[in-house]
Amino acid sequence: MSDIYPEIEPYDHGQLDTGDGNLIYWEACGNPAGRPALVLHGGPGSGCSTAVRRYFDPDAYRIILFDQRNCGRSLPSAADPETDLSLNTTWHLVADIERLRSCLGIDSWLLFGSSWGATLALAYAETHPERVAAIILSGVTTTRRSEIDWLYRGMAPLFPEEWHRFRQAVPPGRQEQDEDMVAAYHRLLNDPNSETRFKAARDWHDWEAASILLADPQGRPRRWADPAYLLTRARIITHYFTNGAWLEDGQLLKNAARLSGIPGILLQGRFDIEAPLVTAWELARAWPQSELSILAHAAHSTANPEMSAAIVAATDRFRDI
């Protein structure tokens, strides 16, 4: 990651009160008078990372990051079984973004999202296109049913041993008839017994690690060593995916015409197993103002040197838009 900008600390941060019992952590880095750029983290439920600050020229950008509902430093945390996730949906997040924009006095901003963050960026941009100056997406997803199914069933032939363990971790009699592991784990992650919840969170991430370790020799993200982090992330992911992210299937591709006039760069690793290239390709066809760049040696992780360099090159291109 030598091509990224130096480490930087926030010059401002706060908690945005959504008015419904949620507090959203946000922070601002870089130049307070610079071009506003919003970072949308993945997961859902992963929380924002300090490394993403370094994808933007700090002299040119006012870089805004926030932890989406119930994860990271936002409150209440999904790690607490008493935290009600019914107020955590794609459309609540879209409303949070717009509330944050208004609170910070920003007219329009560049959006950067990777993985789930790409889905959220598209949902926001298609709802508020007048507030979006440009979009950069990597590891492109739209969270269609087929994309969810690929992650938690379609990839099974690629990792048979890990898939076997993933399925066997679900107690007998609770495995879904059609192998719907998302629904099975959603129940386990909301079980009254804390040991059951934490074990399900570990087992869930063991399955995710199969594709991560193949693509990233650095191994599991450091944050995965924290059991509370794993529970937070897994509980939110299964909450979203059992509900199809509250999107009509294929909605974001069908409504891509709403992005007309917004320039975009789509960065996709050729070896991205978690988000296969077809989704980025279909989005590029539906969004004429976008430019698809296929990275020959990259996978899903933004930490891949080829991917991180491509993200920095993209943000540099949009500095003066």
Side-chain angles (χ1 to χ4, degrees):
M1 298 178 68
S2 58
D3 292 321
I4 63 178
Y5 287 97
E7 292 185 9
I8 187 173
E9 293 298 320
Y11 66 80
D12 196 10
H13 69 277
Q15 294 276 4
L16 178 72
D17 190 339
T18 65
D20 59 9
N22 280 274
L23 295 174
I24 307 300
Y25 173 84
W26 63 269
E27 63 183 36
C29 308
N31 181 356
R35 174 163 298 282
L38 178 69
V39 174
L40 299 169
H41 67 69
S46 293
C48 59
S49 109
T50 58
V52 185
R53 304 169 184 166
R54 305 176 64 188
Y55 295 142
F56 299 83
D57 181 346
D59 294 326
Y61 279 104
R62 178 186 179 188
I63 312 154
I64 310 298
L65 301 91
F66 77 103
D67 290 326
Q68 295 160 30
R69 289 189 177 215
N70 309 127
C71 73
R73 289 152 289 187
S74 292
L75 298 171
S77 171
D80 182 347
E82 298 301 316
T83 297
D84 179 11
L85 298 185
S86 66
L87 296 180
N88 188 340
T89 73
T90 301
W91 304 111
H92 284 95
L93 299 186
V94 167
D96 291 344
I97 295 168
E98 186 59 4
R99 185 178 289 108
L100 180 60
R101 181 199 62 76
S102 179
C103 176
L104 296 178
I106 293 170
D107 181 63
S108 66
W109 42 13
L110 176 149
L111 305 180
F112 169 65
S114 180
S115 193
W116 158 255
T119 292
L120 183 56
L122 292 169
Y124 175 80
E126 291 180 5
T127 305
H128 301 285
E130 73 284 358
R131 299 302 184 187
V132 180
I135 303 174
I136 300 170
L137 306 179
S138 70
V140 179
T141 70
T142 63
T143 314
R144 290 175 290 180
R145 304 300 190 279
S146 59
E147 295 171 47
I148 297 171
D149 183 70
W150 167 254
L151 286 169
Y152 303 106
R153 180 164 48 189
M155 289 199 306
L158 302 178
F159 306 101
E161 181 178 355
E162 293 84 353
W163 174 252
H164 176 74
R165 288 199 299 265
F166 186 53
R167 290 198 63 213
Q168 291 301 115
V170 177
R174 300 189 65 175
Q175 294 180 11
E176 296 298 283
Q177 291 182 353
D178 61 351
E179 298 184 346
D180 186 350
M181 291 294 97
V182 177
Y185 273 85
H186 181 256
R187 284 196 293 273
L188 293 171
L189 290 159
N190 288 278
D191 192 273
N193 184 278
S194 62
E195 291 185 8
T196 298
R197 294 195 302 274
F198 281 108
K199 180 181 184 303
R202 290 193 303 271
D203 293 334
W204 178 269
H205 284 84
D206 283 345
W207 168 246
E208 283 203 22
S211 57
I212 289 175
L213 294 174
L214 181 68
D216 186 357
Q218 297 182 33
R220 302 183 185 214
R222 284 178 294 178
R223 293 186 289 182
W224 285 24
D226 179 4
Y229 176 84
L230 297 184
L231 180 56
T232 296
R233 186 174 180 274
R235 191 173 174 223
I236 293 175
I237 290 175
T238 56
H239 169 64
Y240 268 74
F241 289 178
T242 54
N243 288 286
W246 297 272
L247 296 166
E248 175 190 338
D249 198 29
Q251 175 178 338
L252 299 179
L253 285 171
K254 293 173 186 175
N255 293 339
R258 297 181 184 178
L259 304 174
S260 178
I262 302 174
I265 297 176
L266 311 179
L267 303 172
Q268 195 68 27
R270 172 67 74 181
F271 296 109
D272 190 337
I273 294 177
E274 296 165 85
L277 175 58
V278 62
T279 299
W281 181 78
E282 290 173 339
L283 179 60
R285 286 170 58 85
W287 177 16
Q289 287 78 24
S290 67
E291 172 188 316
L292 173 60
S293 178
I294 301 171
L295 308 181
H297 305 290
H300 196 64
S301 173
T302 58
N304 172 276
E306 186 179 13
M307 178 63 77
S308 59
I311 295 170
V312 170
T315 62
D316 284 352
R317 280 179 55 183
F318 283 145
R319 274 182 299 203
D320 301 320
I321 287 182

